[in-house]
Amino acid sequence: MEEKVLLGHGNGGKYTQRLVKELFHHYFRNDLLDEMNDAAGFSTPGERLAFTTDSYVISPLSFPGGDIGKLAVCGTVNDLAVSGARPLYLSAGFIIEEGFPMASLRQIVQSMADTAKVAGVLIVTGDTKVVPKGCADQLFINTAGIGVILPGADVSGSYARPGNKIIINGTIGDHGMTIMARRSELNFNNLLRSDCAPLNGLIQELLLDVPGIRVLRDPTRGGVATTLNEIAVQSGVGIALDEDSLPVQGSVKSACDILGLDPLYLANEGKFLTVVPQPQVEAALNVIRKHPLGQDAAVIGEVVDGPVGKVYLKTGIGGKRIVDVLVVDQLPRIC
Amino acid sequence: MEEKVLLGHGNGGKYTQRLVKELFHHYFRNDLLDEMNDAAGFSTPGERLAFTTDSYVISPLSFPGGDIGKLAVCGTVNDLAVSGARPLYLSAGFIIEEGFPMASLRQIVQSMADTAKVAGVLIVTGDTKVVPKGCADQLFINTAGIGVILPGADVSGSYARPGNKIIINGTIGDHGMTIMARRSELNFNNLLRSDCAPLNGLIQELLLDVPGIRVLRDPTRGGVATTLNEIAVQSGVGIALDEDSLPVQGSVKSACDILGLDPLYLANEGKFLTVVPQPQVEAALNVIRKHPLGQDAAVIGEVVDGPVGKVYLKTGIGGKRIVDVLVVDQLPRIC
């Protein structure tokens, strides 16, 4: 194959056919993809389905803990998982800048294939466009995903009730700070690492083992602060966070101190928030902490009557401050 | 709303929320989208489903006969339609260059909404990313689509058999030549116009009224030549095209003569090819020609024993030439 991606790889002709056959079909191999038709056909896997999409424009393309390929699979898998669905099928749309190294594309496609395998999903349909040099920055990937909603699952951001506890499955801000440090070329002794991971296995166990899980969200762009604000608005409640109980890695905390950033606004790519009625908190924590992706799970706050639609933080020194939705970007192209 | 798209419109925070609410939800309004969760949930609409995706990177964004928004809906709807499916739900993923005029985005979103209405599909989930100035050229859109495969429909590029006739629903090359003329700033007296249109209504009528339709394809990138080559390979047959019966608009023909291009390789965005057993040809032509998008339908050739995997053209003066898959790009960013 060519060493660099050419415009011809996106023209639908001979070069495209070769790229699809030798790269995408080689790594993503499965029966549905092999049919080589305009759409993948599949039998209905259940009574209710979930459908979602995300484009990934992260820079740099590779980072400690992952790359754009892993992210593109995890992000969409996680959106399905927090909707109460078992993710099944993904599409993959590539927009590639002319001249992009074929070896890098191969590595990213391999990473997508590996992550799809871990998450138990199939990449069944795709598309490749190549744009002239300067018309895109290296590589963008879109994935859309279809999942089957688990029997009995009924989750929505509108189900939080006063008295419920807020649980997160681990430390916050790892992904955002890793990318930020990488981009600013700050050296934090290589201690930073993205949390990018497929959460569907853990979330499925939680939904099956702990009835009463009604709110699930992944705090990606905008961070925990923005996601909790959305839940507060959708449910018409207030949320009180407890600063001392927020799990933050030492390296992330130090980097935040140096850069003057708040981990509550940093993106996460392997975390979910759930809102749990008090009687089920222990059971939920047990299930989450038993899973490799949930060992640092913690109760970080509770749902309160009000102020409605607001999130506030009880600080370590006994103060209170409102935690608003993210307004000004800390960093573009974080995912 | 802001006059230009800001980086903050893609950060997942306050600006993103406003863009989603005031623009996307305003134009795409439907119950599934209004739930505002991470994925759209829907009840299974049938026994077998089809799933497809395409990214759209066309330049210029607007052209006679359409714009990137109309194209992004039609392209994915048509991929589902030629798979024998009734398109139901689309996702929409936007990658926007910082500074893109909000008025242009609004127009494109309106165009997507209008086209979705005509095609009878709902845009139920989406995503917005904004990249810094210079990291993308204006706007890219990805749509993925889900459809329900029509009862009894069983179409594939592998079902062409010797003796079958090749039908197209109208003139070829209109989209490709329109974009090419626009980009080269050639003036063809404004006679060129993209054929961009949703074909699902016409194709559904054809599948319901004419049993025996087993091959359907839309000749987009790579044109009629490339698509027929794919069918010839998948079915293990030859295909003989009749030059004199190829429907080509006068304006497209003139432009091709001036630019030294072959309409067989130009992209179409409102055309499909079908391969029909001889006894059903009249019935198929009747159904297609009755539809506004099929008035210029024609039989353009037939399936032959061989050479296997090849397409050849019987020229007007009695010659024969092999019509290969597109190799060198006529034009990047045609769709």
Side-chain angles (χ1 to χ4, degrees):
Chain A
M1 193 121 70
E2 292 66 38
E3 277 189 16
K4 287 175 184 285
V5 176
L6 309 173
L7 281 174
H9 285 115
N11 72 7
K14 213 153 232 176
Y15 283 99
T16 308
Q17 289 175 1
R18 195 159 71 200
L19 184 71
V20 167
K21 199 175 151 194
E22 294 183 13
L23 193 66
F24 299 122
H25 282 239
H26 176 74
Y27 287 104
F28 297 157
R29 185 177 299 285
N30 61 70
D31 290 347
L32 293 178
L33 191 64
D34 288 348
E35 290 173 15
M36 297 283 287
N37 286 317
D38 286 306
F42 59 91
S43 291
T44 302
E47 286 183 8
R48 279 185 64 76
L49 302 180
F51 182 33
T52 190
T53 191
D54 261 324
S55 299
Y56 300 87
V57 300
I58 193 165
S59 172
L61 294 176
S62 292
F63 45 84
D67 62 21
I68 190 174
K70 182 178 181 185
L71 189 66
V73 172
C74 291
T76 295
V77 158
N78 292 349
D79 275 343
L80 291 170
V82 296
S83 303
R86 185 160 61 86
L88 294 169
Y89 303 117
L90 298 190
S91 64
F94 296 86
I95 298 175
I96 311 172
E97 185 185 14
E98 179 189 9
F100 187 68
M102 195 63 79
S104 306
L105 183 61
R106 188 179 293 277
Q107 212 163 20
I108 287 162
V109 169
Q110 167 86 68
S111 167
M112 291 181 80
D114 292 346
T115 310
K117 202 169 170 188
V118 170
V121 296
L122 299 177
I123 296 168
V124 295
T125 188
D127 175 56
T128 308
K129 294 290 189 304
V130 181
V131 298
K133 226 171 167 41
C135 291
D137 185 15
Q138 299 197 295
L139 174 67
F140 303 144
I141 301 177
N142 175 284
T143 50
I146 296 177
V148 55
I149 295 176
L150 295 169
D154 176 20
V155 300
S156 162
S158 63
Y159 289 141
R161 295 289 170 267
N164 292 174
K165 299 294 182 186
I166 320 274
I167 297 177
I168 192 161
N169 64 309
T171 54
I172 69 177
D174 301 71
H175 177 77
M177 187 48 82
T178 302
I179 304 304
M180 197 161 297
R182 191 85 180 182
R183 294 254 286 277
S184 64
E185 293 178 11
L186 287 173
N187 182 357
F188 293 102
N189 293 326
N190 299 318
L191 288 170
L192 296 168
R193 190 180 167 82
S194 168
D195 57 341
C196 181
L199 293 166
N200 54 319
L202 168 51
I203 290 176
Q204 190 169 334
E205 281 177 33
L206 184 64
L207 283 170
L208 292 177
D209 290 359
V210 186
I213 299 287
R214 305 288 299 279
V215 180
L216 286 165
R217 276 287 165 94
D218 53 338
T220 55
R221 278 184 291 178
V224 168
T226 302
T227 302
L228 289 179
N229 267 281
E230 288 169 7
I231 294 171
V233 170
Q234 277 188 282
S235 294
V237 296
I239 289 178
L241 284 178
D242 177 16
E243 186 173 42
D244 287 342
S245 62
L246 290 173
V248 186
Q249 306 252 22
S251 54
V252 171
K253 202 171 172 338
S254 307
C256 277
D257 288 345
I258 292 167
L259 297 171
L261 296 172
D262 185 341
L264 281 170
Y265 291 96
L266 292 175
N268 308 277
E269 293 293 345
K271 293 297 163 346
F272 69 93
L273 291 159
T274 183
V275 179
V276 183
Q278 173 69 49
Q280 277 135 6
V281 168
E282 273 311 301
L285 279 176
N286 282 340
V287 171
I288 299 171
R289 285 181 180 153
K290 250 190 280 174
H291 194 281
L293 295 173
Q295 289 167 354
D296 298 319
V299 175
I300 61 171
E302 65 179 339
V303 181
V304 293
D305 288 320
V308 166
K310 301 285 181 200
V311 177
Y312 64 88
L313 185 73
K314 295 183 286 181
T315 63
I317 52 166
K320 257 190 188 185
R321 69 171 173 89
I322 289 288
V323 177
D324 202 357
V325 169
L326 174 64
V327 180
V328 177
D329 230 356
Q330 294 188 327
L331 182 74
R333 301 184 67 191
I334 198 79
C335 60
Chain B
M1 191 122 69
E2 293 66 38
E3 276 189 20
K4 287 174 185 284
V5 176
L6 310 173
L7 281 174
H9 285 115
N11 72 6
K14 213 153 232 177
Y15 283 98
T16 307
Q17 289 175 1
R18 195 159 72 199
L19 184 71
V20 166
K21 198 173 153 195
E22 294 182 15
L23 193 65
F24 300 122
H25 282 238
H26 176 75
Y27 287 103
F28 297 156
R29 186 176 299 286
N30 60 70
D31 291 345
L32 294 178
L33 192 64
D34 288 348
E35 289 173 16
M36 296 281 289
N37 286 317
D38 285 307
F42 58 91
S43 290
T44 302
E47 286 183 9
R48 278 185 64 76
L49 302 180
F51 181 33
T52 191
T53 191
D54 260 323
S55 299
Y56 301 87
V57 299
I58 193 164
S59 170
L61 294 176
S62 292
F63 46 85
D67 62 21
I68 191 174
K70 182 178 181 186
L71 189 66
V73 172
C74 291
T76 295
V77 159
N78 292 348
D79 276 343
L80 291 170
V82 296
S83 303
R86 185 160 60 86
L88 294 169
Y89 303 117
L90 299 190
S91 65
F94 296 85
I95 298 174
I96 311 172
E97 186 184 14
E98 178 188 11
F100 187 69
M102 195 63 81
S104 306
L105 183 61
R106 187 179 292 278
Q107 211 164 19
I108 287 163
V109 169
Q110 167 86 67
S111 167
M112 290 181 79
D114 292 346
T115 310
K117 200 168 172 190
V118 170
V121 295
L122 299 177
I123 296 168
V124 295
T125 187
D127 174 57
T128 308
K129 295 290 188 305
V130 181
V131 297
K133 225 172 169 42
C135 291
D137 186 17
Q138 298 196 297
L139 174 67
F140 303 143
I141 302 177
N142 175 284
T143 50
I146 295 177
V148 55
I149 295 177
L150 295 169
D154 176 20
V155 301
S156 162
S158 63
Y159 289 142
R161 294 290 171 267
N164 292 173
K165 300 294 181 186
I166 319 277
I167 297 176
I168 193 161
N169 65 310
T171 54
I172 67 176
D174 301 70
H175 177 76
M177 187 50 80
T178 302
I179 304 305
M180 197 161 298
R182 191 85 180 183
R183 293 253 287 274
S184 65
E185 293 177 13
L186 286 173
N187 181 356
F188 293 102
N189 293 325
N190 299 319
L191 289 169
L192 296 169
R193 190 179 166 83
S194 169
D195 58 341
C196 182
L199 293 166
N200 54 320
L202 168 51
I203 290 175
Q204 190 169 334
E205 282 177 31
L206 185 64
L207 282 170
L208 292 177
D209 290 359
V210 186
I213 299 287
R214 305 289 298 279
V215 180
L216 286 165
R217 277 287 164 93
D218 54 338
T220 54
R221 278 185 293 178
V224 168
T226 302
T227 302
L228 289 179
N229 266 280
E230 288 169 7
I231 293 171
V233 169
Q234 277 188 283
S235 293
V237 296
I239 289 178
L241 285 178
D242 178 16
E243 187 173 42
D244 286 341
S245 62
L246 290 173
V248 186
Q249 306 251 23
S251 54
V252 171
K253 200 171 173 338
S254 308
C256 276
D257 288 345
I258 291 168
L259 299 171
L261 296 172
D262 185 341
L264 282 170
Y265 291 97
L266 293 175
N268 308 276
E269 292 293 346
K271 294 296 162 351
F272 68 94
L273 291 159
T274 183
V275 179
V276 182
Q278 173 66 50
Q280 277 135 7
V281 168
E282 274 311 301
L285 280 175
N286 282 341
V287 172
I288 299 171
R289 285 181 180 152
K290 250 188 279 173
H291 194 281
L293 295 173
Q295 288 167 353
D296 298 319
V299 175
I300 61 170
E302 64 179 339
V303 181
V304 292
D305 288 318
V308 167
K310 300 286 180 197
V311 177
Y312 65 88
L313 185 73
K314 295 183 288 181
T315 63
I317 52 166
K320 258 189 187 184
R321 69 172 172 90
I322 290 288
V323 177
D324 202 358
V325 169
L326 174 64
V327 179
V328 178
D329 230 356
Q330 295 187 328
L331 182 73
R333 302 183 66 190
I334 198 77
C335 61

